[in-house]
Amino acid sequence: MEDFRSLAYNVFSVWLLFIIAFIMLPSMFGMSLGISQVYMKILVKMLEWATLRIQKGFEEQKKLRMAASNGIIQRDQSPMEEEIVGLRQSRSQCLQSGDFELSDVFYFSKKGFEAIVEDEVTQRFSSEELISWNLLTRTNYNFQYLSHRVTLIWVLGVFVRYCILLPLRVTLATIGISWLVVGATIVGQLPNGRIKNWFSEKVHLVCCRICARALSSAIQYHNKENRPKKGGICVANHTSPIDIIILANDGCYAMVGQVHGGLMGVIQRAMARACPHVWFERSEMRDRHLVTKRLREHVFDKEKLPILIFPEGTCINNTSVMMFKKGSFEIGGTIYPVAIKYDPQFGDAFWNSSKYTMVKYLLRMMTSWAIKCNVWYLPPMTRQEGEDAVQFANRVKSAIAKQGGLVELPWDGGLKRDKVKDSFREEQQKNYSKIIAGESNIFKR
């Protein structure tokens, strides 16, 4: 028994020493020993080999297999007026104002079938389809053939991910969160001033870097000269809760959110002691004026950290950017847009909250190969003269979508759980009524 205890102690000591020397210390100083780069290169080679082996099983369908489907419907993006006019003219019908034509029904039927078969909203709340299998989950229907060698590699990958990477990542995450709580609590005892702010930023930065290493994150930051500055608002597209860690790995931010209980509540209270984050009670979240007032007070204090906000209000699968809520753009001040684009080849960062709990999601993240992403800091933007909050939000959203190579959609991410707003249906009804009444611009040409 003594020999077993001694062996266990020695193994644990070596394990902890390895973590501290090769992972924690470099991450604390923002350094890299090149281990992650070598690891990523090995992964790429392994995944390429596995994909080639799979493709040999159905060589006759190679063309279909090499390109993941981007959609089974070719949509016509023309306005309603032009499509209906095209239908009428194709049937050699006289285009007259004030008339209802039976062919108009085909337009609405076509749109209805498109929405049923493949609508633009719900497909944004499911995992992005992969071009090649990443030996995790098969999100592409093409990857059905498995050879004995690929199966062996998959089994070996399961062992590596669950028996080596998972314990390592859990250890790092535990250390990072513990240090954050303890460090923020200690810093919170210092008197307010520059010294406290300096220590607070260092504690947050170091702990977030350790947590980023717990996910084997490979992050590339672009245009660092545009990083958010104090007294501003950082807005970004939202894919996952780990977006916060990805951004906080390169700079400190003031968080905005609802007060929670349990472990999350402990972390929030510790962070609030060291840094002026903006936490709201559940009852206060419904008071828009109170929320706007507190955020405006924070933004106009140039000594406070920039606020980090995700205007979509929900997680999207990183293929598109959906409607930005206008509240963040009514506060005033400078907006610092940030585009985040994940590479799903090594792990799916998207959190499908309707399918996975937070615990299951974190388990999926810690048993994936790695989290690889690119972060672009865009030039700061301010509200132009005569521009309302909605127009400003759309301009910022367009810039983020363009930089990140994402599809820009006008839909509200709230449709993930809610029904379509009556205003959307009423808008389509008004457009068609103008055609019937002859008030559409198409009749004035």
Side-chain angles (χ1 to χ4, degrees):
M1 180 64 72
E2 290 296 331
D3 293 339
F4 177 77
R5 290 179 179 176
S6 177
L7 178 62
Y9 176 79
N10 291 333
V11 171
F12 178 76
S13 299
V14 172
W15 176 261
L16 197 59
L17 182 62
F18 171 81
I19 291 176
I20 294 174
F22 293 98
I23 301 178
M24 288 183 57
L25 287 179
S27 66
M28 289 170 63
F29 295 100
M31 299 169 56
S32 175
L33 299 180
I35 299 176
S36 59
Q37 286 83 351
V38 174
Y39 171 67
M40 298 298 288
K41 289 180 180 179
I42 294 174
L43 275 181
V44 170
K45 293 294 184 183
M46 182 180 68
L47 297 179
E48 288 178 350
W49 174 85
T51 301
L52 290 174
R53 293 295 304 179
I54 292 172
Q55 289 173 351
K56 289 181 179 180
F58 45 100
E59 213 36 59
E60 67 279 2
Q61 297 180 0
K62 187 173 182 180
K63 291 184 179 180
L64 293 176
R65 219 173 29 251
M66 289 304 293
S69 173
N70 290 322
I72 61 177
I73 292 178
Q74 185 66 36
R75 297 180 184 272
D76 190 341
Q77 302 296 333
S78 303
M80 176 193 292
E81 295 91 335
E82 292 185 7
E83 288 198 53
I84 290 181
V85 168
L87 285 171
R88 292 185 179 185
Q89 291 177 340
S90 66
R91 295 176 61 86
S92 301
Q93 294 174 337
C94 180
L95 181 62
Q96 297 178 0
S97 62
D99 291 339
F100 165 78
E101 300 291 346
L102 187 60
S103 61
D104 296 353
V105 176
F106 292 114
Y107 168 80
F108 296 104
S109 299
K110 173 174 171 285
K111 292 298 182 182
F113 287 133
E114 287 180 356
I116 292 172
V117 175
E118 185 187 41
D119 69 280
E120 291 182 317
V121 178
T122 55
Q123 62 177 313
R124 308 301 171 179
F125 303 122
S126 58
S127 296
E128 181 180 359
E129 191 166 302
L130 302 179
I131 294 178
S132 62
W133 185 31
N134 58 7
L135 299 178
L136 294 175
T137 52
R138 274 171 284 177
T139 59
N140 190 312
Y141 72 93
N142 293 314
F143 304 112
Q144 301 167 354
Y145 172 81
L146 285 178
S147 70
H148 295 298
R149 293 181 181 179
V150 173
T151 302
L152 181 61
I153 292 295
W154 178 80
V155 172
L156 180 61
V158 171
F159 173 79
V160 170
R161 291 188 290 110
Y162 281 87
C163 298
I164 298 177
L165 294 181
L166 180 59
L168 174 64
R169 291 167 176 174
V170 170
T171 303
L172 284 171
T174 303
I175 293 174
I177 294 173
S178 301
W179 281 23
L180 177 61
V181 173
V182 174
T185 302
I186 294 174
V187 172
Q189 308 305 314
L190 299 175
N192 293 331
R194 291 185 177 181
I195 296 178
K196 179 180 179 178
N197 293 339
W198 185 86
F199 275 111
S200 174
E201 292 180 15
K202 292 302 178 184
V203 167
H204 282 76
L205 196 59
V206 168
C207 294
C208 287
R209 284 175 175 172
I210 293 175
C211 290
R213 296 295 175 95
L215 298 171
S216 298
S217 300
I219 315 167
Q220 188 171 358
Y221 299 94
H222 307 270
N223 307 324
K224 288 191 174 185
E225 67 274 8
N226 296 325
R227 278 189 295 190
K229 296 179 173 57
K230 292 183 177 181
I233 302 174
C234 174
V235 298
N237 57 301
H238 198 23
T239 305
S240 159
I242 67 174
D243 292 340
I244 297 173
I245 296 176
I246 297 298
L247 293 177
N249 183 64
D250 191 49
C252 294
Y253 299 89
M255 308 300 172
V256 179
Q258 182 179 309
V259 174
H260 293 275
L263 176 61
M264 184 61 70
V266 174
I267 297 174
Q268 284 182 324
R269 288 190 293 272
M271 292 172 63
R273 294 190 188 100
C275 177
H277 297 278
V278 186
W279 306 123
F280 296 96
E281 297 291 344
R282 180 182 294 270
S283 58
E284 295 177 328
M285 291 295 290
R286 299 188 182 94
D287 190 341
R288 285 190 58 191
H289 296 289
L290 176 62
V291 172
T292 303
K293 178 183 177 183
R294 289 188 57 184
L295 292 178
R296 186 174 285 122
E297 290 174 352
H298 184 105
V299 169
F300 289 160
D301 188 343
K302 300 304 179 183
E303 296 299 320
K304 292 183 178 179
L305 295 174
I307 293 178
L308 176 59
I309 297 178
F310 301 103
E312 289 169 298
T314 190
C315 295
I316 314 297
N317 69 357
N318 209 225
T319 61
S320 60
V321 182
M322 303 190 81
M323 187 182 77
F324 278 9
K325 303 290 193 301
K326 66 177 182 178
S328 309
F329 303 88
E330 294 176 327
I331 300 171
T334 304
I335 298 291
Y336 294 89
V338 176
I340 306 174
K341 178 61 178 176
Y342 291 91
D343 186 346
Q345 182 181 7
F346 305 102
D348 184 14
F350 169 58
W351 180 35
N352 188 347
S353 56
S354 60
K355 186 177 181 180
Y356 301 107
T357 63
M358 177 61 77
V359 175
K360 287 184 178 179
Y361 170 75
L362 291 177
L363 178 62
R364 283 168 54 86
M365 289 297 94
M366 290 190 174
T367 55
S368 63
W369 293 115
I371 299 298
K372 182 180 180 181
C373 72
N374 284 277
V375 176
W376 289 274
Y377 297 111
L378 278 66
M381 303 173 69
T382 55
R383 192 164 164 179
Q384 297 176 349
E385 186 177 353
E387 187 177 46
D388 60 26
V390 174
Q391 293 170 332
F392 186 26
N394 289 334
R395 184 160 59 90
V396 174
K397 183 185 73 169
S398 298
I400 291 176
K402 182 178 180 181
Q403 180 63 75
L406 305 170
V407 178
E408 184 182 357
L409 296 175
W411 301 103
D412 185 353
L415 292 174
K416 183 178 184 178
R417 298 181 179 87
D418 302 330
K419 295 181 179 180
V420 178
K421 294 181 179 179
D422 292 337
S423 58
F424 285 109
R425 291 197 296 268
E426 291 172 357
E427 183 180 356
Q428 297 300 314
Q429 292 169 354
K430 288 179 181 178
N431 290 337
Y432 184 64
S433 66
K434 289 180 180 179
I435 296 176
I436 297 298
E439 298 176 358
S440 176
N441 293 331
I442 198 78
F443 298 104
K444 300 176 183 179
R445 296 177 182 176

